[in-house]
Amino acid sequence: MKGSAKMSTHNGAQNELASFTPDPLQDLTIQDAFIISAVYAVRGNEEKCEKIGSLAQKHPLFVEKQEHTAARVNKYTNLMHSENSLQAVEAVARDLKPEQRKQAFEFAIEAALADEALTEKKKQTLQTLADKLDLDRKFVGRTLANMPHKND
């Protein structure tokens, strides 16, 4: 009997701790959302993830030091490797306004196409991202049509 009381206290402590442990996908900043979108678009490719930090430093939304941006990129790259990456994208869609979702998509395209043309595989990834962000199909079509294409 004493053991079961101890067990329920232990479970209660775990539940209490869980309620104070922040969900990394709760209350995303716009910078977090842009990075998550870009990490998804590059499919966790380490070399391209490094380029996300460089792109961010050129973007007016990122006024933080480069090492802070790099830490964000690493955080979300690791998280999206260990978790369902679409859950992270769904959190972006939940936390951003429609115009911000468009901007995040455009940022993701920049990351995915860094020095490369749009392949069919990348196009499919970006289309999935656009669908999860609930973007207008005409906007997505126009945006992708303006990208340099490459046959796989």
Side-chain angles (χ1 to χ4, degrees), residues 93-112:
R94 175 196 68 222
D95 288 356
L96 293 185
K97 296 174 182 165
E99 189 58 38
Q100 293 170 326
R101 291 195 304 261
K102 286 181 181 179
Q103 293 169 347
F105 181 69
E106 291 168 337
F107 184 76
I109 289 173
E110 258 188 275

Side-chain angles (χ1 to χ4, degrees), residues 1-8:
M1 190 101 179
K2 209 175 193 182
S4 63
K6 194 174 197 176
M7 181 64 92
S8 66

Side-chain angles (χ1 to χ4, degrees), residues 7 9-11 17 20 26 37 40 46 49 54-55 58 62 70 82 87 90 104 106 108 111 130 132 138 142:
M7 181 64 92
T9 302
H10 177 70
N11 286 342
L17 180 61
F20 289 109
Q26 281 295 107
S37 298
Y40 181 82
E46 284 188 38
C49 282
S54 299
L55 284 173
K58 298 173 190 170
F62 292 84
S82 64
Q87 286 178 329
E90 289 166 357
E106 291 168 337
K132 288 294 179 182
K138 288 180 184 176
R142 281 191 313 269

Side-chain angles (χ1 to χ4, degrees), residues 20-127:
F20 289 109
T21 304
D23 176 354
L25 297 175
Q26 281 295 107
D27 302 320
L28 297 173
T29 66
I30 191 166
Q31 293 86 356
D32 292 333
F34 274 45
I35 288 171
I36 288 169
S37 298
V39 168
Y40 181 82
V42 302
R43 305 301 277 169
N45 176 304
E46 284 188 38
E47 186 179 310
K48 288 188 177 179
C49 282
E50 289 178 21
K51 291 182 180 180
I52 293 170
S54 299
L55 284 173
Q57 290 303 299
K58 298 173 190 170
H59 197 283
L61 284 175
F62 292 84
V63 293
E64 64 194 5
K65 293 182 179 179
Q66 186 161 0
E67 57 266 17
H68 295 285
T69 302
R72 284 180 198 252
V73 172
N74 288 336
K75 172 185 173 180
Y76 291 114
T77 300
N78 292 334
L79 177 75
M80 291 169 73
H81 276 302
S82 64
E83 305 273 332
N84 179 347
S85 59
L86 287 177
Q87 286 178 329
V89 174
E90 289 166 357
V92 169
R94 175 196 68 222
D95 288 356
L96 293 185
K97 296 174 182 165
E99 189 58 38
Q100 293 170 326
R101 291 195 304 261
K102 286 181 181 179
Q103 293 169 347
F105 181 69
E106 291 168 337
F107 184 76
I109 289 173
E110 258 188 275
L113 299 182
D115 304 325
E116 295 181 31
L118 182 64
T119 63
E120 192 57 39
K121 185 176 178 179
K122 285 181 195 170
K123 185 176 179 181
Q124 290 172 352
T125 298
L126 291 168
Q127 188 61 57

